[in-house]
Amino acid sequence: MTSEVAVIAGAGLGLSASLARLFTKEGFRVVLAARNVSKLSTLVDETSALAVETDVADVTSVENLFDVADKAGPLSLVVFNASGRARGPIADLQPEAVKQALLVGAYGGFLVGQQSARRLLSRGSGSILFTGATASVKGFSGSAGFAMPKFGLRGLAQSMARELAPKNIHVAHFIIDGVIAPNEPGRASDPDRQDRRLSPDAIAETYLAIHRQHRSAWTWELELRPWVENF
């Protein structure tokens, strides 16, 4: 058990909720960052997490998030789950929507990663985990407004991993290659489509396992996909 702090940036009721429950169970003090923290009230009650209203694309807002986390205890683990997306054909995409997607999905990753790195470098250990997608490595037709921030986030994670690993900071990027199942505890799976979507609880277990990897065998990138998903 540990009393260390885990920050989840871009928190919602899907994967982030599974991460919050698991980290709490394992003894972490969880800090949830979201633009709308009211949606997290039930999760906060369940996990006793701290919820901090945060715009990951705003420097001051991210600094405030980590100031709050500092007061909660020693930082050990950070997960960046925020994502920006602008849908549509390239000729029809709204420039401001694409700009916002890049600010949230890539620049936000930089801001959170920078604040995390400063603290973990002072400590001399810890993990920074970035959530990617199929679009991190495949730019699909009509998906430029999603591929751009995801490619950028992957580049950030790779660069940080190469820079920080020799300093005992574990940086990893996760390619979530498939649709994540709804996070509804107790909901029975469709027997005809069992495990065709990624279980958020199973993903969370993998994140924790990567955080706990021995440094002689660190993973910098991992792909997760359902058993029926095409490569």
Side-chain angles (χ1 to χ4, degrees), residues 85-107:
R85 181 194 297 258
R87 300 176 183 271
I90 190 68
D92 299 334
L93 284 172
Q94 296 298 313
E96 281 301 316
V98 175
K99 179 181 178 180
Q100 185 61 27
L102 285 163
L103 285 172
V104 172
Y107 181 62

Side-chain angles (χ1 to χ4, degrees), residues 128 130 153-173 218-221:
I128 307 170
F130 294 95
L153 187 69
R154 182 175 187 263
L156 169 72
Q158 187 177 75
S159 179
M160 287 179 60
R162 287 174 166 156
E163 177 183 341
L164 298 178
K167 299 176 182 178
N168 202 38
I169 310 301
H170 190 182
V171 178
H173 178 253
W218 270 352
T219 296
W220 103 261
E221 185 168 69

Side-chain angles (χ1 to χ4, degrees), residues 91-147:
D92 299 334
L93 284 172
Q94 296 298 313
E96 281 301 316
V98 175
K99 179 181 178 180
Q100 185 61 27
L102 285 163
L103 285 172
V104 172
Y107 181 62
F110 159 74
L111 292 179
V112 171
Q114 183 181 62
Q115 291 294 323
S116 305
R118 287 173 176 171
R119 287 159 173 80
L120 297 182
L121 282 168
S122 294
R123 176 180 177 161
S125 65
S127 300
I128 307 170
L129 310 180
F130 294 95
T131 300
T134 312
S136 301
V137 292
K138 295 180 183 178
F140 292 104
S141 173
S143 189
F146 188 44

Side-chain angles (χ1 to χ4, degrees), residues 33-202:
R35 289 180 65 92
N36 176 13
V37 296
S38 62
K39 67 182 179 181
L40 303 175
S41 57
T42 300
L43 182 62
V44 167
D45 290 342
E46 180 183 351
T47 62
S48 298
L50 293 175
V52 184
E53 185 175 311
T54 307
D55 178 356
V56 298
D58 181 80
V59 176
T60 302
S61 186
V62 174
E63 289 175 345
N64 176 69
L65 164 65
F66 282 88
D67 286 344
V68 172
D70 288 341
K71 294 179 176 66
L75 184 66
S76 173
L77 172 59
V78 177
V79 179
F80 183 77
N81 270 346
S83 184
R85 181 194 297 258
R87 300 176 183 271
I90 190 68
D92 299 334
L93 284 172
Q94 296 298 313
E96 281 301 316
V98 175
K99 179 181 178 180
Q100 185 61 27
L102 285 163
L103 285 172
V104 172
Y107 181 62
F110 159 74
L111 292 179
V112 171
Q114 183 181 62
Q115 291 294 323
S116 305
R118 287 173 176 171
R119 287 159 173 80
L120 297 182
L121 282 168
S122 294
R123 176 180 177 161
S125 65
S127 300
I128 307 170
L129 310 180
F130 294 95
T131 300
T134 312
S136 301
V137 292
K138 295 180 183 178
F140 292 104
S141 173
S143 189
F146 188 44
M148 290 166 66
K150 284 302 183 185
F151 265 69
L153 187 69
R154 182 175 187 263
L156 169 72
Q158 187 177 75
S159 179
M160 287 179 60
R162 287 174 166 156
E163 177 183 341
L164 298 178
K167 299 176 182 178
N168 202 38
I169 310 301
H170 190 182
V171 178
H173 178 253
F174 294 78
I175 298 173
I176 308 300
D177 189 14
V179 178
I180 298 177
N183 198 337
E184 301 176 23
R187 177 178 174 177
S189 300
D190 183 340
D192 295 326
R193 300 184 61 82
Q194 191 171 16
D195 299 332
R196 289 177 179 270
R197 295 184 178 186
L198 292 112
S199 161
D201 290 343

